[in-house]
């Protein structure tokens, strides 16, 4: 074997060599060369309150129903619109517009003087620690899937009365205000 062949033999990989570290180096050790893990999107139910689009985690939603006849509760807190009978189960129905400062007074939707609800209005039955509760929404927009990178934490300016805002989600040009159901229904 010539000197040149000996150098080539020493330079090139042989099948019997241990090259574990060399293979890691060849594959690229920086994060840019590695494929990024695919983010798992989270599903939210999007709905409208006034002209704004809100969303809650889909796992917090038990069901969506048309607005039934609500029974008024005398001397109840303003955000409690009344109670509804859902297949024999009495559920409180809340208006989160007051909490979000989208309205100054609750709408008159329960009792003898209540008018018919708007056609697109729905009640979201949410699962909470205190049991199921209804939330009056102007309309349901549908299910939206947001990756964690599409969600921003709640801005500091939304603290206080609007502490139920968990974050902001963006999908294309649409902005979704993400609500924490427990905080939105807290007294």
């Amino acid at each position: 074997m010539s000197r040149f062949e000996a150098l080539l033999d020493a330079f090139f990989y042989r099948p019997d060599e241990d090259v574990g570290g060399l293979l890691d180096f060849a594959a690229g050790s920086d994060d840019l060369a590695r494929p990024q893990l695919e983010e798992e999107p989270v599903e939210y139910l999007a709905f409208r309150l006034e002209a704004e689009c809100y969303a809650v985690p889909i796992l917090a939603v038990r069901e969506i129903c048309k607005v039934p006849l609500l029974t008024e509760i005398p001397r109840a807190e303003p955000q409690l619109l009344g109670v509804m009978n859902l297949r024999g189960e009495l559920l409180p129905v809340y208006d989160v517009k007051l909490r979000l400062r989208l309205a100054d007074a609750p709408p008159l939707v329960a009792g003898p003087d209540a008018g018919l609800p708007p056609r697109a209005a729905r009640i979201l039955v949410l699962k909470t620690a205190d049991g199921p509760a209804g939330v009056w929404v102007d309309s349901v927009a549908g299910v939206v899937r947001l990756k964690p990178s599409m969600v921003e934490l709640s801005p500091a300016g939304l603290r206080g009365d609007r502490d139920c805002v968990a974050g902001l989600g963006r999908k294309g040009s649409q902005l979704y205000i993400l609500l924490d159901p427990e905080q939105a229904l807290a007294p």
Side-chain angles (χ1 to χ4, degrees), residues 48-151:
R48 295 213 174 270
L49 295 174
E50 298 300 326
E52 298 176 352
C53 196
Y54 290 82
V56 293
I58 197 85
L59 295 176
V61 179
R62 188 174 101 177
E63 62 186 283
I64 303 167
C65 59
K66 288 186 176 182
V67 178
L69 181 64
L70 298 178
T71 303
E72 175 179 37
I73 304 293
R75 294 182 298 279
E77 53 201 47
Q79 66 266 22
L80 180 61
L81 296 175
V83 294
M84 66 183 240
N85 184 346
L86 183 65
R87 296 182 298 281
E89 183 179 19
L90 286 179
L91 303 176
V93 177
Y94 294 94
D95 181 15
V96 295
K97 290 181 189 178
L98 296 173
R99 176 102 188 212
L100 295 168
R101 290 186 259 151
L102 297 174
D104 295 329
L108 183 59
V109 294
D113 298 330
L116 292 174
R119 186 178 198 121
R122 295 290 183 262
I123 301 292
L124 302 183
V125 180
L126 302 178
K127 303 173 202 172
T128 69
D130 296 333
V135 173
W136 179 294
V137 298
D138 294 336
S139 65
V140 173
V143 175
V144 62
R145 300 178 81 195
L146 298 174
K147 294 179 180 179
S149 62
M150 302 164 97
V151 176

